[in-house]
Amino acid sequence: MNKQVVKSDMSVVVVGASLAGLMMGIALAKAGMKVTILERVGTKPRSGAVLQVDSGERDNSATAKSLRKLASGGLRSAQAWSSIQSRLHAAALDDARIELIYDTPIRGADQNDEMAWVVTDTGKIFSGDIVIGADGHRSIVRRMVAPQKPNATFAGYMIWVAILNEQDIAEKYWPDADMAVSMPDGIGDFLLGSVIQGAGGSRKRGERRLGWAWYDNTRNHLLRELGCVRGSLVHHSLIGTDIPGHTLTELADQARERWPQPWLAATLHSIQTRALTAIPVSEYVPNQLVNKRIAITGDAAHVLTPISAAGFNASLLDAATLTDCILQQSGLYDPVSALSRYESLRLKPVQQMVQSGQSFSRSFGR
Ligand SMILES: Cc1cc2nc3c(=O)[nH]c(=O)nc-3n(C[C@H](O)[C@H](O)[C@H](O)COP(=O)(O)OP(=O)(O)OC[C@H]3O[C@@H](n4cnc5c(N)ncnc54)[C@H](O)[C@@H]3O)c2cc1C
């Protein structure tokens, strides 16, 4: 990834082992740093949305190119979150400079002139030259970086998402090989569908998967009743097993009225098997990305509507930029000035990126 390397005793603690945290850890380890990645939950596979790896602003630095190649597996098409995560996870496991520690929730971060550290829920301390918060839209590390603006806020709508095997629907509905994305007209709400490679990588008809995302601004009351959204804050997603039966019936009726095939068959299968998740959308425009030795990246740093399809790529650029800021110091290792440079390069682009999605959210959200 990089020919240059930093002093081998330099260390970083990354909070969060999802896409942003893994990319940051991998890039910094390749640059020679000792990396500890702490993740709140266990290693159990998680499902996720379909992602477009290649959308959004470009950065063709060697670090960014190398991360993009690794994350995408060389594919330019949309793909499952889980496919990207498993490639990054394998690369992190493969790097002896990275220690991945699961089931370890962080409850705070702090620093002095010499180092930064995080404290786990059991009181254990992990310290390093720098701490990076890659802990998502409800980031705890963000509280230390931006105490005046610690929270992302609910954007006023949700997205129902699911991924299923093509085999789960009748063969007559399997899309033609060249059909990649469809955006059928909805009544108010709308649906995005993608045909992606199968779990084993196959793109053969019958072996692929269908991913769909149904943008819905009519069920905020449900999110509030079930505690997913409280006040202006998103607390958690709504998983299939917790969706009330009458909501599933309403969704199936609406799908029958609105979506053409194959998306009707796909949504009905996901509804009938409860294999769908409602994600309340939140937004965060950052004023700061760094406080001395502590920085934030990914959704901890900027949360934008998924319609922009740019959050993942922005996380990749965060990782590449921060790593390059450290490498560019050519031996004069000064983490505070490297992180300050990272902020000066990334703050404006990510502010503009989130703001550009807000016009959609303001018209669609309620
Ligand atoms: C429906 C949907 C569709 C999307 N589509 C696209 C797309 O097409 N293109 C695109 O570029 N982006 C897309 N995005 C955005 C993209 O998925 C994210 O921006 C990207 O994956 C970066 O996420 P992250 O790793 O920062 O955060 P997350 O995935 O939220 O990860 C945060 C991690 O931190 C861990 N964590 C949280 N708190 C703690 C704690 N206290 N201690 C330890 N660990 C903690 C969590 O368990 C989690 O593993 C989409 C998002 C959604 C919701």
Side-chain angles (χ1 to χ4, degrees):
M1 190 174 279
N2 289 291
K3 292 207 178 85
Q4 276 176 294
V5 287
V6 298
K7 265 174 62 187
S8 60
D9 56 349
M10 297 301 171
S11 63
V12 54
V13 177
V14 178
V15 183
S18 186
L19 306 187
L22 288 171
M23 287 192 288
M24 185 64 82
I26 290 165
L28 290 173
K30 291 278 182 278
M33 291 185 85
K34 181 177 169 300
V35 177
T36 305
I37 307 182
L38 304 170
E39 168 55 49
R40 178 181 56 188
V41 297
T43 50
K44 201 171 130 226
R46 287 186 266 171
S47 61
V50 167
L51 290 192
Q52 189 67 44
V53 170
D54 261 331
S55 53
E57 54 171 330
R58 293 293 283 198
D59 166 350
N60 286 323
S61 69
T63 313
K65 274 192 194 160
S66 170
L67 276 178
R68 196 171 286 116
K69 191 169 166 199
L70 171 63
S72 69
L75 293 172
R76 294 189 72 90
S77 51
Q79 44 189 308
W81 177 94
S82 56
S83 304
I84 301 170
Q85 194 273 348
S86 63
R87 280 183 212 113
L88 294 171
H89 183 244
L93 284 181
D94 222 33
D95 192 321
R97 281 160 297 205
I98 299 179
E99 187 182 13
L100 263 169
I101 305 176
Y102 286 91
D103 295 308
T104 306
I106 292 314
R107 65 173 158 79
D110 210 342
Q111 62 186 320
N112 60 23
D113 288 345
E114 309 297 319
M115 60 180 181
W117 60 89
V118 296
V119 186
T120 71
D121 63 338
T122 59
K124 198 165 171 196
I125 290 175
F126 290 85
S127 62
D129 294 289
I130 54 177
V131 162
I132 311 286
D135 47 346
H137 71 100
R138 297 190 66 217
S139 173
I140 285 181
V141 178
R142 190 199 288 138
R143 295 179 195 165
M144 187 63 196
V145 169
Q148 317 301 334
K149 194 178 180 183
N151 297 319
T153 52
F154 179 49
Y157 58 100
M158 66 165 105
I159 312 177
W160 300 94
V161 295
I163 296 181
L164 62 152
N165 293 320
E166 209 170 10
Q167 294 272 349
D168 291 330
I169 63 170
E171 183 175 353
K172 63 182 172 184
Y173 300 131
W174 294 352
D176 293 338
D178 58 353
M179 181 183 184
V181 178
S182 158
M183 186 170 169
D185 277 342
I187 308 166
D189 48 5
F190 60 92
L191 186 123
L192 300 179
S194 312
V195 183
I196 59 171
Q197 62 179 15
S202 172
R203 291 201 69 88
K204 275 198 202 145
R205 198 162 175 269
E207 294 178 7
R208 300 166 299 177
R209 286 176 291 176
L210 304 174
W212 58 265
W214 177 345
Y215 284 68
D216 182 355
N217 58 8
T218 65
R219 290 190 173 80
N220 294 345
H221 60 283
L222 179 69
L223 297 176
R224 293 191 183 281
E225 272 163 33
L226 298 176
C228 303
V229 174
R230 292 181 220 150
S232 63
L233 302 187
V234 171
H235 281 257
H236 56 83
S237 296
L238 174 58
I239 56 169
T241 45
D242 294 342
I243 303 171
H246 64 87
T247 304
L248 293 174
T249 307
E250 282 168 20
L251 280 173
D253 290 344
Q254 286 169 358
R256 284 189 197 94
E257 281 170 24
R258 294 173 198 198
W259 315 135
Q261 298 293 3
W263 307 111
L264 173 57
T267 48
L268 287 181
H269 180 272
S270 308
I271 292 166
Q272 280 151 11
T273 54
R274 289 184 176 264
L276 72 171
T277 303
I279 301 175
V281 174
S282 49
E283 285 180 337
Y284 185 77
V285 185
N287 292 334
Q288 277 163 276
L289 299 177
V290 167
N291 175 355
K292 294 179 191 158
R293 289 173 179 266
I294 305 180
I296 45 179
T297 176
D299 287 4
H302 36 75
V303 192
L304 73 163
T305 171
I307 195 94
S308 306
F312 169 79
N313 190 51
S315 313
L316 188 153
L317 298 189
D318 293 346
T321 306
L322 193 147
T323 303
D324 289 345
C325 288
I326 288 177
L327 285 170
Q328 278 156 13
Q329 293 194 315
S330 3
L332 270 179
Y333 185 73
D334 174 1
V336 176
S337 68
L339 293 194
S340 164
R341 172 113 182 103
Y342 159 70
E343 180 175 66
S344 71
L345 292 172
R346 290 298 293 152
L347 185 58
K348 206 164 245 165
V350 298
Q351 284 174 332
Q352 285 168 351
M353 177 188 73
V354 183
Q355 281 159 350
S356 69
Q358 282 184 320
S359 53
F360 167 79
S361 288
R362 289 201 176 125
S363 59
F364 188 72
R366 293 183 175 187

